[in-house]
C-alpha cells in the first residue's frame, strides 16, 4: 500500500534527499482566482458579502453573524457528559503546559544609566479560525484559545462555518467548547469570507442585540483551515497578522526493528483519516518491519471507518516508506523531511529524539501516539506543516505576544556613546541621525 523509497547504500546530499522524500502539499495559488473576489467584496461591504458567500459555499444563512449568547448556552447544556469531561481534561492539561510558556520582562543594564528592557505585550484582539467543513474540531478551539488566554489576550473571537443542520450556527460542540473556555464572542462565518471578515470587520446588521452589532477587526488570525482559508490568510496578511499557512497534516515515524508493526500501522492510519492529502511516512532501517507494517495496514485499513479517505492518503505521492541503512541515516531523513508530527519508535527513543532538529512536535516511544497530542497531552496540535518545521514553531503563548524593547538612557549614558552614534550615522550618510544626538548637547546648560 505504501510506496517504497530505498535509500540503503546511498549517501544523498540534502538537496537530493529533499527531492527523493514523499511530499504532497496543496497549490494555494490555484484557488487565488476564487478567493480574491471574496476577500475584496468582504473588505468593501463587510457582513452582507460574508453572509452571501456563506450562503453560496455553506448552503445556509444564519440570522446574524454573531452567535447569540443563548445559542451558546444551549449548546453547552446539550453537550454529552462524557464529551464535556474529556474537553475539560484537554483544557486543563493544555492550560498546565501553556501557562508555563508565559514570558517575563527582561531588563538589561547595558551601561550605568542605560537600560534596555524587553516587555512582552499580548496582541490586542485575536481571531481564532475553527474549521467546520468536513469535520468538527472542538479540540482546535482549545488549541487556539488556551495559548491566547494564557498570553493575556484581552479580546478573542472564534469564527467557524455556519452549519445547515444547526440553523446556520456553528456546530454545537464547537459552541460548547467555546462556552467551557469562557469565550462569548463567536461568529458564524467560515472559509475565505470568514478570514476576510476577521481581518476587515463589519457591522452585524441583522443582530438583534444592538451592543453586539459591531464586528471589530482583529490584529491576528490563527488556526488551521482548508485551502480557501489558507489562500485568504495569504491575501489578508497585509492588514492582519497570521500564524502560518497550514498545509495538510503529516506524520513521520522513525522506527527500528524493536517497534510494533501493528502500532505503527494504526498511527499512520490515524493521521491519514484527516484528509485524502494527509501524509503518512515511515522511515526505518528494517525491511522486515516495513513488510510487517504493510501487512498490518492491509488488515487495519479494511476495518477503519474512513477507509476510502485513508486508502487515498496512504497510496498518494505524499506517503511512503523510506528504507535507510541505520537509525543515524534515518535521523538525517527525518530532519530533511521536517514533519509536522514525528514519532520515534526505536530502542532508546528518548536519546534518539534528543538528536532531532526538525519537527513540529516529537512523540517519544510507544506510549506517546500523535492522537494523544491531538487531544490530551497538554501540548499544542496546531503545528508547522510542509517542511516549515525547519524554521517555524507550533502555536504557543509566544504566538500571541509581541516583544517590545524599552530604551531608557540618561544624559551621561547617551553622552558616553554619542561619538559612536555620530560616526555610524556619518558612515551611513545619514547626518540627521547624528545631529539628533548632537542637538542634545549643543550649548547645553542642563546638568
Ligand atoms: P474549513 O472550515 O477550513 O473550510 C470550510 C469552508 O471552506 C466553508 O465554510 C466554505 O466557505 C469554504 N469552501 C468550501 N468549498 C469552497 C469552494 N469551492 N470555494 C470557495 N470556498 C469554499 O473546513 P474543512 O474544509 O473541513 O478543512 C479543514 C482543514 O483543516 C482540513 O484540511 C484539516 O486537516 C485541517 N485541520 C488541521 C488541524 C491542525 O491542527 N493542523 C486541525 C484541524 C483541522
Amino acid at each position: 500500500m505504501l510506496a517504497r523509497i530505498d535509500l540503503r547504500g546511498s549517501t544523498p546530499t540534502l538537496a537530493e534527499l529533499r527531492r527523493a522524500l514523499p511530499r504532497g502539499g496543496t497549490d494555494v495559488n490555484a484557488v487565488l482566482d476564487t478567493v480574491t473576489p471574496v476577500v475584496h467584496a468582504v473588505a468593501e461591504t463587510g457582513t452582507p458579502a460574508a453572509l452571501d458567500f456563506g450562503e453560496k459555499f455553506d448552503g445556509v444563512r444564519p440570522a446574524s453573524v454573531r452567535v447569540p449568547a443563548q445559542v451558546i448556552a444551549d449548546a453547552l447544556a446539550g453537550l454529552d457528559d462524557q464529551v464535556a469531561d474529556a474537553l475539560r481534561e484537554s483544557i486543563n492539561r493544555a492550560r498546565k503546559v501553556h501557562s508555563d510558556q508565559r514570558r517575563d520582562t527582561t531588563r538589561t543594564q547595558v551601561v550605568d544609566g542605560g537600560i534596555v528592557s524587553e516587555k512582552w505585550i499580548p496582541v490586542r484582539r485575536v481571531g481564532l479560525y475553527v474549521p467546520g467543513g468536513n469535520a468538527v474540531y472542538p479540540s482546535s478551539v482549545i488549541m487556539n484559545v488556551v495559548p491566547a488566554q494564557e498570553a493575556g489576550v484581552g479580546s478573542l473571537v472564534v469564527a467557524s462555518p455556519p452549519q445547515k443542520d444547526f440553523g446556520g450556527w456553528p456546530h454545537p460542540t464547537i459552541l460548547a467548547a467555546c462556552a467551557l473556555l469562557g469565550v462569548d464572542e463567536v461568529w458564524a462565518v467560515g472559509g475565505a469570507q470568514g478570514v476576510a471578515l476577521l481581518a476587515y470587520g463589519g457591522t452585524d446588521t441583522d443582530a438583534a442585540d444592538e451592543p453586539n452589532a459591531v464586528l471589530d477587526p482583529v490584529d491576528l488570525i490563527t488556526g488551521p483551515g482548508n485551502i480557501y482559508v489558507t489562500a485568504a490568510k495569504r491575501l489578508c496578511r497585509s492588514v492582519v497578522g497570521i500564524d502560518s499557512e497550514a498545509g495538510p497534516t503529516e506524520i513521520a515515524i522513525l522506527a527500528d526493528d524493536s517497534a510494533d508493526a501493528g502500532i505503527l500501522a494504526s498511527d499512520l492510519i490515524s493521521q491519514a483519516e484527516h484528509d485524502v492529502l494527509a501524509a503518512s511516512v515511515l522511515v526505518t532501517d528494517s525491511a522486515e518491519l516495513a513488510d510487517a507494517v504493510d501487512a498490518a495496514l492491509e488488515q487495519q485499513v479494511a476495518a477503519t471507518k474512513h477507509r476510502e479517505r485513508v486508502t487515498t492518503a496512504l497510496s498518494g505521492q505524499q506517503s511512503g516508506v523510506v528504507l535507510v541503512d541505520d537509525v543515524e541515516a534515518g535521523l538525517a531523513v527525518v530532519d530533511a523531511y521536517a514533519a509536522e508530527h514525528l514519532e520515534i519508535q526505536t530502542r532508546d527513543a528518548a536519546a534518539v529524539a534528543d538528536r532531532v532538529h526538525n519537527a513540529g512536535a516529537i512523540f517519544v516511544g510507544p506510549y506517546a501516539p500523535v492522537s494523544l497530542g491531538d487531544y490530551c497531552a497538554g501540548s499544542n496540535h496546531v503545528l508547522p506543516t510542509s517542511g516549515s518545521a525547519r524554521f517555524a514553531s507550533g502555536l504557543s503563548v509566544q504566538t500571541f505576544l509581541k516583544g517590545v524593547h524599552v530604551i531608557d538612557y540618561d544624559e551621561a549614558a547617551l553622552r558616553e556613546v554619542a561619538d559612536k552614534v555620530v560616526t555610524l550615522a556619518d558612515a551611513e550618510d545619514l547626518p540627521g541621525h547624528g545631529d539628533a544626538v548632537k542637538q542634545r548637547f549643543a550649548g547645553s546648560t542642563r546638568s
Side-chain angles (χ1 to χ4, degrees):
M1 178 169 285
L2 286 170
R4 289 229 177 148
I5 297 159
D6 196 343
L7 296 179
R8 288 173 298 180
S10 66
T11 46
T13 63
L14 181 57
E16 288 165 345
L17 198 48
R18 284 203 192 140
R19 272 196 290 277
L21 295 178
R23 183 126 263 162
T26 45
D27 182 9
V28 174
N29 291 327
V31 300
L32 286 180
D33 281 353
T34 309
V35 168
T36 304
V38 175
V39 169
H40 285 168
V42 175
E44 235 162 71
T45 65
T47 311
L51 288 171
D52 287 349
F53 285 116
E55 201 165 3
K56 178 174 172 191
F57 297 128
D58 300 304
V60 63
R61 191 181 187 95
S64 58
V65 170
R66 183 150 176 177
V67 181
Q70 190 58 49
V71 173
I72 299 175
D74 289 349
L76 182 59
L79 186 66
D80 175 272
D81 284 347
Q82 276 184 325
V83 177
D85 264 4
L87 286 174
R88 283 197 187 92
E89 185 67 35
S90 174
I91 292 168
N92 290 342
R93 290 179 182 219
R95 272 209 202 290
K96 254 192 191 169
V97 172
H98 290 84
S99 63
D100 271 352
Q101 295 174 341
R102 290 197 205 118
R103 301 189 70 155
D104 293 328
T105 300
T106 54
R107 186 176 179 279
T108 307
Q109 178 102 36
V110 183
V111 289
D112 275 352
I115 296 162
V116 175
S117 311
E118 189 169 37
K119 282 174 66 163
W120 293 95
I121 303 176
V123 175
R124 183 192 61 96
R125 177 162 161 84
V126 172
L128 309 168
Y129 188 85
V130 177
N134 295 324
V136 183
Y137 298 98
S139 58
S140 287
V141 183
I142 296 171
M143 298 299 168
N144 279 277
V145 169
V146 168
Q149 287 178 332
E150 292 303 318
V153 170
S155 178
L156 280 179
V157 49
V158 166
S160 194
Q163 305 291 326
K164 254 193 292 202
D165 298 341
F166 297 100
W169 305 123
H171 196 281
T173 317
I174 288 176
L175 298 179
C178 289
L180 287 172
L181 287 154
V183 173
D184 61 2
E185 186 172 354
V186 186
W187 296 358
V189 62
Q193 60 279 10
V195 171
L197 196 64
L198 287 170
Y200 290 95
T203 304
D204 204 352
T205 41
D206 297 330
D209 197 353
E210 194 54 32
N212 289 340
V214 176
L215 305 174
D216 262 340
V218 304
D219 302 307
L220 173 71
I221 299 174
T222 67
N226 66 13
I227 192 166
Y228 304 102
V229 169
T230 304
K233 278 168 105 180
R234 182 182 289 181
L235 289 172
C236 291
R237 71 184 310 171
S238 55
V239 292
V240 74
I242 65 165
D243 53 344
S244 65
E245 288 189 9
T249 191
E250 302 155 351
I251 180 174
I253 307 179
L254 175 59
D256 63 16
D257 64 358
S258 68
D260 181 302
I263 287 178
L264 300 190
S266 60
D267 289 2
L268 293 169
I269 290 171
S270 75
Q271 289 308 295
E273 88 172 336
H274 269 290
D275 194 337
V276 290
L277 296 172
S280 294
V281 175
L282 172 65
V283 181
T284 182
D285 59 354
S286 166
E288 291 72 28
L289 180 75
D291 291 341
V293 170
D294 263 346
L297 282 173
E298 290 278 327
Q299 277 192 349
Q300 292 187 25
V301 170
T304 198
K305 180 172 181 190
H306 303 294
R307 77 187 65 88
E308 278 182 27
R309 197 189 301 164
V310 169
T311 305
T312 310
L314 292 180
S315 50
Q317 58 167 9
Q318 73 276 17
S319 297
V321 177
V322 183
L323 288 173
V324 290
D325 286 320
D326 48 29
V327 169
E328 192 66 32
L331 275 167
V333 168
V334 296
D335 270 345
Y337 184 69
E340 180 193 19
H341 307 96
L342 174 65
E343 287 187 0
I344 304 294
Q345 305 240 19
T346 60
R347 290 179 190 82
D348 211 358
V352 174
D354 219 27
R355 298 182 55 207
V356 172
H357 255 84
N358 299 331
I362 305 171
F363 298 81
V364 184
Y367 297 103
V370 170
S371 325
L372 175 68
D374 280 341
Y375 299 114
C376 281
S379 53
N380 205 289
H381 80 198
V382 184
L383 298 166
T385 55
S386 315
S388 60
R390 286 183 291 125
F391 51 83
S393 316
L395 221 58
S396 73
V397 164
Q398 183 68 29
T399 312
F400 299 95
L401 296 175
K402 303 166 298 148
V404 179
H405 276 166
V406 180
I407 297 98
D408 187 356
Y409 270 51
D410 66 15
E411 183 182 348
L414 177 60
R415 192 185 290 277
E416 187 195 322
V417 79
D419 285 353
K420 307 280 191 303
V421 175
V422 172
T423 300
L424 290 172
D426 287 345
E428 294 191 350
D429 194 24
L430 295 169
H433 281 61
D435 291 345
V437 171
K438 286 186 214 159
Q439 179 71 25
R440 287 167 161 74
F441 301 112
S444 170
T445 52
R446 277 174 277 165
S447 55

